[in-house]
Amino acid sequence: PNEIRTPFENILDLKITQDFYITTNDTKHNLQLTLDVFNFTNMLNKNWGRRYFTGGNTFPLIRANRNDDGIVEYNFSDPGDTYSIVQSGTYSARWNAQLGIRYEF
């Protein structure tokens, strides 16, 4: 629904998981390491993986001006780019990484 307001977004996330098994006194322990990279495409290239936001969803397209004779003239004004790039939070245009450790016994 927003294809006329913002450019198309190409986002790819990456998750890498490695399990390590340790056996001690007939007890099996599992240690799992994970690496999550959110917006992996932006990590590869700063121009990839951009996310866009349209704020307020309002912008003036037509302006009404009264000329010297008292006649109202309507003029179209080009709003230009109606979006901005999201720069903060997990849903940002920047990549984020998270390292996780899980121990199962």
Side-chain angles (χ1 to χ4, degrees), residues 2 4 14 16-17 31 39 50 60 76 83-85 91 97 105:
N2 286 332
I4 62 171
L14 175 71
I16 300 172
T17 304
L31 182 66
N39 200 351
R50 290 189 173 173
F76 173 76
Y83 58 87
S84 58
I85 298 174
Y91 184 77
F105 52 94

Side-chain angles (χ1 to χ4, degrees), residues 37-50:
V37 180
F38 305 103
N39 200 351
F40 178 68
T41 48
N42 185 254
M43 187 175 112
L44 298 176
N45 185 326
K46 69 178 183 176
N47 295 319
W48 297 350
R50 290 189 173 173

Side-chain angles (χ1 to χ4, degrees), residues 3 8 13 19 21-22 32 36 38 41 43 50-53 55 64 66 73-74 76-77 81 88 96-97 103-104:
E3 66 258 3
F8 189 79
D13 295 334
D19 290 326
Y21 299 102
I22 303 167
Q32 184 180 72
D36 295 295
F38 305 103
T41 48
M43 187 175 112
R50 290 189 173 173
R51 295 182 190 244
Y52 302 97
F53 171 75
R66 189 175 303 273
E73 296 177 345
Y74 296 95
F76 173 76
S77 62
D81 289 338
S88 63
N96 296 295
Y103 175 66
E104 294 178 7

Side-chain angles (χ1 to χ4, degrees), residues 9-73:
E9 297 179 2
N10 295 298
I11 309 298
L12 179 68
D13 295 334
L14 175 71
K15 181 175 187 118
I16 300 172
T17 304
Q18 178 65 52
D19 290 326
F20 298 96
Y21 299 102
I22 303 167
T23 304
T24 58
N25 299 334
D26 296 331
T27 304
K28 185 177 180 181
H29 302 272
N30 183 22
L31 182 66
Q32 184 180 72
L33 299 177
T34 60
L35 173 66
D36 295 295
V37 180
F38 305 103
N39 200 351
F40 178 68
T41 48
N42 185 254
M43 187 175 112
L44 298 176
N45 185 326
K46 69 178 183 176
N47 295 319
W48 297 350
R50 290 189 173 173
R51 295 182 190 244
Y52 302 97
F53 171 75
T54 303
N57 222 4
T58 60
F59 41 87
L61 291 178
I62 298 175
R63 295 180 192 252
N65 297 320
R66 189 175 303 273
N67 65 15
D68 295 337
D69 298 329
I71 299 172
V72 177
E73 296 177 345

